[in-house]
Amino acid sequence: MAGYLCLISNGQSIFEVASPEAEKIRALTYGFLIAAAGVMLLIVLLTIYISVKFRAKATSVEPIQIKGNRKVEILMVGFPLVLVIGFFFWSIKTMREVLPPHGDGPPDIIITGHQWWWEAVYPGSKVVAANEIYLPTGKRLLIELNAADVIHDWWVPALGGKMDLIPGMVNHLWVTINKPGTYEGTCSEFCGQQHAWMRIRVVAQSPEDHEQWLQAHSQRTELPMGTLALEGKALFMKASCSNCHSVQGTIATGGEGPDLTHFASRKTMLAGMMDNNPENVYKWLTDPQKVKPGSHMPRFIFAKDSIAALTAYLTQLK
Amino acid sequence: MKAIRLPESEKPIPGLSVSTNQGLLQWISSVDHKQIGIMYLWLSVLFLVMGGCEILLVRLQLVVPNNDFLDPEVFNQLFTMHGTTMIFFVAMPAIFGFNTYLVPLMIGANDMAYPRLNAFSFWLTFFGGLMLYFSFLAGGAPDAGWFNYAPLNQYNYSSSPGIDYYCSSLLIAGIGTVSASANFIVTILKYRVGTMSLKHMPLFVWMVLINSFLILAAFPALNAALAMLLLDRQLHAHFFTAIGGGSAILWQHLFWLFGHPEVYIVILPIFGIFSEIFPVYSRKPIFGYNFIIGSGMAIALLAFGVWIHHMFATGLGNTVNGFFAASSMLIGIPTGVKIFNWLATMYGGAIRFKVAMMFAVAFLVEFTIGGLSGISFAIIPIDWQLTDTYYVVAHLHYVFIGGTLFGLLSGLFYWFPKISGRIPDERLSKWFFWLFVISFNLTFLVQHALGAMGMARRVYTYPDFAGWGTLNLISTTGGFLMGISIGLLVYILVKAIRKGVQAPADPWDASTLEWTTSSPPELKNFDQVIPVNSTRPFRDFKRPDDAD
């Protein structure tokens, strides 16, 4: 219990909530912690009291041989039973509020878990995001969860609750976000070698900002590019990159790896493993298996200037 | 009265001038329950050291954020092997060691019902363990966790032979476990000394009996799942892959249908151990003898109705989840009730704080922490936040260490004089007690907070979030201190065996039959057994004027 007292706010704690769902769970958690602390205190005090009081002394004679007491036995069962029944009903009530049936309505966002990144598709628009997921505040959102390979688990503590993504199953989760901000989360079901680096970042925006973001991101990137970047683009399309990655408006339509249409607008890369900047992109392209061992990006043996060209291209995909 | 069966003493080996009563050969060829029990215990210590070294490497990797001491691949193998080893090759053999050694002695028999089957069970466990560890040499240890979820356990996601070794070795050990349980059931039901009725049976024996039925029902689910997984991996059967029409979630159902009862399999005999120890060191009878048996049976039955609480985040729906929440909370009651039973046993007693009793008293507190945090997973919305975080890691270690291991250590210090004929150094043993208890809490208490602060379990590294580094450092420090304390324990045991003080037959003024024989017992346990007319026959024998 002492652990909770020294709880430090760090953006990923279950006590710093930003959604009514998480608030309800937190209230239940507090209720449980108080009850648990009470029971704990009772047991500790009884144990210490009895141990001190009835410690054998040199003068001890054999104590009275009591074999049981029906009343005490009933009390032993009754006391925890009452506590448990109370928490059962509270927890059922919370469950129904946090995760009511989703009906047949269309989801607001479709999340697919991959080894080891997240894909976010916004139905009704052409936007496909990865790892950094933009959501509007103030609306109860229905999230559809799918898995592309193994079981993953969606967990953003501030938004309340976990839900597994399971191959062959479609799961749903309700989320309402109170206020704009960035909320940290992570995959919490062991999903293989890089489970540690499958972080989630939810960026909550006001509905207007979100609409604007959707608008901007449904456009394909068209930027004036320098020679180096254009060289990189040509290489990207010609080499195997385009087999696995998509860049909207180009011939790259692969679906294995993350969509790179707006790659440069992401703050982090490799599912939260490192900041997204040209040095890191260069390092990654040089030897992906060294940066993130086990990831499904093969090591292509590119010449140094090819890597520089690819980096220039990718870092311009705003 | 049934005839007391005699164990076999020695056999000449045909064509050789050696006999099986010499040296190592005596152990390898032994069908004596005491020797087999001791071999189980040493096997457990051996694997404890292995599983311990694995986890110390894991803790070393986690000592600071963004550490790169271990590759993720190696890290995943190490934590998988740690979990698998500790459950199947430390906890199970240790419990079977106590069961095998003590059950015949406590019921006044000279051996198990099927002595050769008994040896067979041990050697299957032994070879199962060796096979699991051979995977390190055969191309890679299993790396999908001890729970080994589909489809991560499939060949396309884990192509090293590790998981094939996991399946084969656990199947082999599992056959040993099931055959040993059948042996316990027959031994307890058919080989008790004539006058011992079921209602006079020591509580430890009762818990072993209940536990053996639990094993007979739970292990087939695991063995079936392992066989199916082998078929998936070797012959592309698609039991657990959605693409071929199978189901990833089916693995979880089968695994936890075994896995949750398994938690009770490794705690019920421990409850039996404590139910022997609290009365003896408090100089009182156990409080609520029938009640403890009843709650043991309730636990065994309920154990099969709680497996879905491992799956509350898999999207099975509120109705199913609600049912399993209710049963999971209910099983907490008979478990918690036992704590009160033991406290009531101590109440009004004359408590002697020998090391065994110190572990028993510490257990009351540690196990309550584990039990209470367990309830938080039965409260589904809390589970939705905390499952698969370090909070679970803390919880399960408070149950497995604060419960199972504290019980084994308590039992070890209680029965060591009987088993070895020597008394361990009391002062050093108390040092060990304090070092172990403090380092254990140092390691795991902070992990509750780590989980609530958002750290997922089974991660090989983590970002430098506020507080995570500090708490992990504390946890790792605690882990290494625990390692040192286990070293001290091994030293205490070896020292005691070599030059400990000779133990009398009944050093603790105990009440059950095993203390009526010499320490250690002769090959043939009993020439004659004292009459059994209560749950404390030896006390009746020593105090005929005040018999139960």
Side-chain angles (χ1 to χ4, degrees), chain B residues 230-244:
Chain B
L230 263 184
L231 291 174
D232 263 15
R233 288 178 60 89
Q234 299 293 336
L235 302 170
H236 311 289
H238 299 299
F239 283 112
F240 304 121
T241 51
I243 297 162

Side-chain angles (χ1 to χ4, degrees), chain A residues 10-223:
Chain A
N10 63 356
Q12 207 178 312
S13 136
I14 63 165
F15 295 104
E16 290 174 84
V17 300
S19 85
E21 289 87 2
E23 274 164 23
K24 290 195 177 85
I25 298 178
R26 185 176 63 177
L28 182 59
T29 310
Y30 281 146
F32 167 73
L33 285 178
I34 291 166
V39 173
M40 197 64 225
L41 200 68
L42 175 74
I43 299 288
V44 170
L45 290 181
L46 274 176
T47 306
I48 294 174
Y49 171 75
I50 294 172
S51 299
V52 174
K53 175 97 198 272
F54 299 105
R55 194 182 182 111
K57 296 165 197 80
T59 55
S60 293
V61 287
E62 186 163 66
I64 308 161
Q65 305 290 299
I66 306 162
K67 290 186 181 154
N69 179 325
R70 190 50 51 85
K71 279 184 194 147
V72 176
E73 284 167 2
I74 291 169
L75 194 71
M76 284 174 185
V77 180
F79 165 67
L81 193 64
V82 169
L83 264 184
V84 154
I85 289 174
F87 274 102
F88 177 70
F89 282 105
W90 189 356
S91 93
I92 296 290
K93 180 170 168 282
T94 310
M95 256 166 86
R96 293 167 64 104
E97 287 164 356
V98 171
L99 198 66
H102 53 82
D104 298 325
D108 296 284
I109 182 166
I110 301 166
I111 307 261
T112 306
H114 297 257
Q115 275 183 329
W116 289 276
W117 58 283
W118 302 92
E119 181 183 358
V121 173
Y122 296 78
S125 80
K126 278 186 281 179
V127 180
V128 182
N131 300 327
E132 289 171 9
I133 290 153
Y134 286 72
L135 293 174
T137 56
K139 186 182 173 223
R140 187 155 219 209
L141 304 166
L142 181 61
I143 306 181
E144 181 185 309
L145 300 160
N146 305 293
D149 35 48
V150 301
I151 298 175
H152 302 279
D153 184 286
W154 170 269
W155 185 39
V156 183
L159 305 182
K162 284 194 182 68
M163 185 55 82
D164 284 351
L165 303 90
I166 302 167
M169 257 174 94
V170 181
N171 276 338
H172 292 85
L173 193 62
W174 290 102
V175 166
T176 320
I177 310 176
N178 287 341
K179 52 181 192 296
T182 305
Y183 302 103
E184 296 286 343
T186 185
C187 173
S188 84
E189 184 61 80
F190 180 64
C191 56
Q193 212 167 332
Q194 283 294 344
H195 168 55
W197 289 120
M198 191 167 164
R199 301 196 53 80
I200 308 167
R201 179 173 278 201
V202 170
V203 184
Q205 304 167 299
S206 67
E208 302 79 52
D209 288 354
H210 185 68
E211 199 50 45
Q212 236 172 31
W213 180 88
L214 272 179
Q215 284 297 327
H217 278 245
S218 56
Q219 317 283 319
R220 64 194 184 93
T221 43
E222 281 200 70
L223 294 159

